[in-house]
C-alpha cells in the first residue's frame, strides 16, 4: 500500500484516522470544528477561530494566480467594508489555493479579513472537502450557527454591490442571468420564458416558493394563447409569504 506523505511503521491509523473507527459515523463535521485553530490577519496578528462565534461568515476560496479571484477580491473588500459599517457581525475567512507561501502573503496583504495559515495545509484541505470545492473563486456564506446560507456568494456580491440584500438568503424567484446561471446545476429548477408584458405581471406577484408539482400546469399555460390569464391562475396556487 502506498501511504502519501507518511512514514509507514506498520500502523496506518496516524495517516488514515478513519480506519480506527474513532470518527464514526463519518458525517460532515460542523464548520466550527473544521476551522478550529488560529487564524491570521495581514498585520501578522492572530485570532482564534472561536472569535467567529455569533457572526455571519464568508468562507472565501481563492488564489492570487487566478484572475477572476483577484477581480472578485477587489469587489469583496468594498462589500466587507459596507457590511461591517452597517453594524452586521460579519467576518470572512480566506482559504488559499496559492502555489506558494510567498504568493499567499502577497495576496493576503490586500485583504482586511482573516485567513487560515498557508502552512496549515491539512485545515485548508478539510475546508475544501467540507464544501466540495471544485473551482475558484468560491464564496460560501454561513449564518451565525455555521449553516450554509448560500454557496453563490460570488454572484450575490457582484449583483448587489451595495449589500442591500445581505446576508443573501436564497430568493425563490430570480431573473436568469449569466451571473447566476450556475445555480441551474445545483438542483431542480423551473425556468419560465416570458415576454416583457408577462414578466412585468410576474414581478408584481408576491411569490416566495414555487410548487414544482405545477410544472405540467405551467406547460399547458404556455401552450395556450391566453398566456397571461393562465399564468395568473397558475401563480395563484403558488405559496406566498
Amino acid at each position: 500500500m502506498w501511504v502519501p506523505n507518511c512514514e509507514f511503521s506498520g500502523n496506518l491509523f496516524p495517516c488514515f484516522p478513519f480506519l480506527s473507527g474513532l470518527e464514526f459515523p463519518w458525517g460532515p463535521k460542523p464548520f466550527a470544528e473544521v476551522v478550529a485553530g488560529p487564524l491570521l490577519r495581514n498585520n501578522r496578528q492572530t485570532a482564534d477561530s472561536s472569535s467567529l462565534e455569533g457572526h455571519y461568515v464568508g468562507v472565501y476560496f481563492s488564489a492570487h494566480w487566478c484572475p477572476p479571484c483577484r477581480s472578485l477580491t477587489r469587489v469583496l473588500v468594498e462589500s466587507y467594508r459596507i457590511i461591517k459599517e452597517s453594524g452586521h457581525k460579519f467576518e470572512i475567512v480566506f482559504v488559499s489555493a496559492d502555489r506558494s507561501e510567498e504568493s499567499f502573503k502577497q495576496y493576503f496583504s490586500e485583504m482586511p479579513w482573516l485567513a487560515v495559515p498557508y502552512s496549515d495545509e491539512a485545515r485548508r484541505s478539510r475546508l475544501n472537502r467540507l464544501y466540495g470545492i471544485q473551482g475558484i473563486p468560491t464564496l460560501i456564506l454561513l449564518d451565525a450557527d455555521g449553516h450554509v446560507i448560500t454557496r453563490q456568494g460570488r454572484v450575490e456580491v457582484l449583483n448587489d454591490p451595495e449589500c442591500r440584500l445581505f446576508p443573501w438568503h436564497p430568493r425563490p424567484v430570480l431573473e436568469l442571468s449569466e451571473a447566476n446561471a450556475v445555480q441551474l446545476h445545483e438542483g431542480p429548477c423551473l425556468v419560465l420564458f416570458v415576454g416583457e408584458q408577462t414578466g412585468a405581471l410576474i414581478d408584481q406577484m408576491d411569490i416566495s416558493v414555487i410548487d414544482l408539482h405545477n410544472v405540467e400546469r405551467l406547460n399547458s399555460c404556455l401552450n395556450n394563447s391566453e398566456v397571461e390569464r393562465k399564468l395568473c391562475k397558475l401563480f395563484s396556487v403558488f405559496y406566498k409569504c
Side-chain angles (χ1 to χ4, degrees), residues 39-41 52 56-60 76-77 79-80 83-84 90-95 108 111-115 139 141:
L39 299 171
L40 302 178
R41 291 199 181 277
L52 300 174
Y56 292 107
V57 177
V59 189
Y60 185 36
L76 190 55
V77 167
S79 297
Y80 180 81
I83 295 168
K84 298 282 278 189
F90 176 60
E91 192 54 81
I92 293 176
V93 176
F94 169 44
V95 183
F108 186 45
M111 303 177 183
W113 44 75
L114 299 170
L139 176 64
L141 267 293

Side-chain angles (χ1 to χ4, degrees), residues 13-229:
F13 291 167
C15 304
F16 300 102
F18 61 85
L19 292 178
S20 68
L22 295 177
E23 299 184 6
F24 180 82
W26 307 302
K29 294 182 178 181
F31 168 74
E33 183 175 341
V34 178
V35 79
L39 299 171
L40 302 178
R41 291 199 181 277
N42 62 16
N43 59 5
R44 298 185 179 181
Q45 293 183 350
T46 62
D48 190 79
S49 59
S50 60
S51 65
L52 300 174
E53 293 179 5
H55 286 63
Y56 292 107
V57 177
V59 189
Y60 185 36
F61 299 87
S62 185
H64 185 264
W65 54 262
C66 165
C69 294
R70 297 198 301 271
S71 297
L72 179 61
T73 296
R74 288 191 288 270
V75 177
L76 190 55
V77 167
E78 180 62 15
S79 297
Y80 180 81
R81 181 190 65 79
I82 292 172
I83 295 168
K84 298 282 278 189
E85 290 181 355
S86 69
H88 288 288
K89 297 180 72 174
F90 176 60
E91 192 54 81
I92 293 176
V93 176
F94 169 44
V95 183
S96 174
D98 286 295
R99 294 166 176 161
S100 69
E101 185 154 8
E102 182 179 354
S103 294
F104 163 75
K105 290 179 179 179
Q106 179 183 353
Y107 193 29
F108 186 45
S109 68
E110 306 169 8
M111 303 177 183
W113 44 75
L114 299 170
V116 175
Y118 185 80
S119 59
D120 196 341
E121 184 177 355
R123 190 164 26 148
R124 291 191 289 120
S125 179
R126 288 196 298 269
L127 285 164
N128 274 273
R129 291 199 305 271
L130 178 63
Y131 297 113
I133 302 303
Q134 297 181 346
I136 55 174
T138 295
L139 176 64
I140 295 177
L141 267 293
L142 310 178
D143 65 18
D145 296 318
H147 300 138
V148 174
I149 296 176
T150 179
R151 298 177 60 87
Q152 300 301 324
R154 175 189 184 186
V155 173
E156 299 294 354
V157 166
L158 295 176
N159 287 350
D160 183 26
E162 296 181 359
C163 305
R164 293 179 178 178
L165 299 176
F166 179 84
W168 300 303
H169 287 284
R171 296 180 295 285
V173 179
L174 294 171
E175 181 177 351
L176 186 60
S177 66
E178 182 178 357
N180 60 36
V182 65
Q183 298 181 53
L184 295 174
H185 299 285
E186 296 191 347
C189 297
L190 173 63
V191 180
L192 178 63
F193 293 91
V194 299
E196 182 177 349
Q197 190 172 7
T198 309
L201 174 67
I202 294 174
D203 287 341
Q204 296 171 10
M205 298 178 181
D206 182 21
I207 304 167
S208 64
V209 178
I210 292 183
D211 185 349
L212 293 180
H213 292 294
N214 287 292
V215 172
E216 289 187 7
R217 191 173 179 183
L218 173 62
N219 287 334
S220 67
C221 290
L222 294 178
N223 291 329
N224 192 295
S225 59
E226 299 178 326
V227 173
E228 290 189 10
R229 181 177 64 82

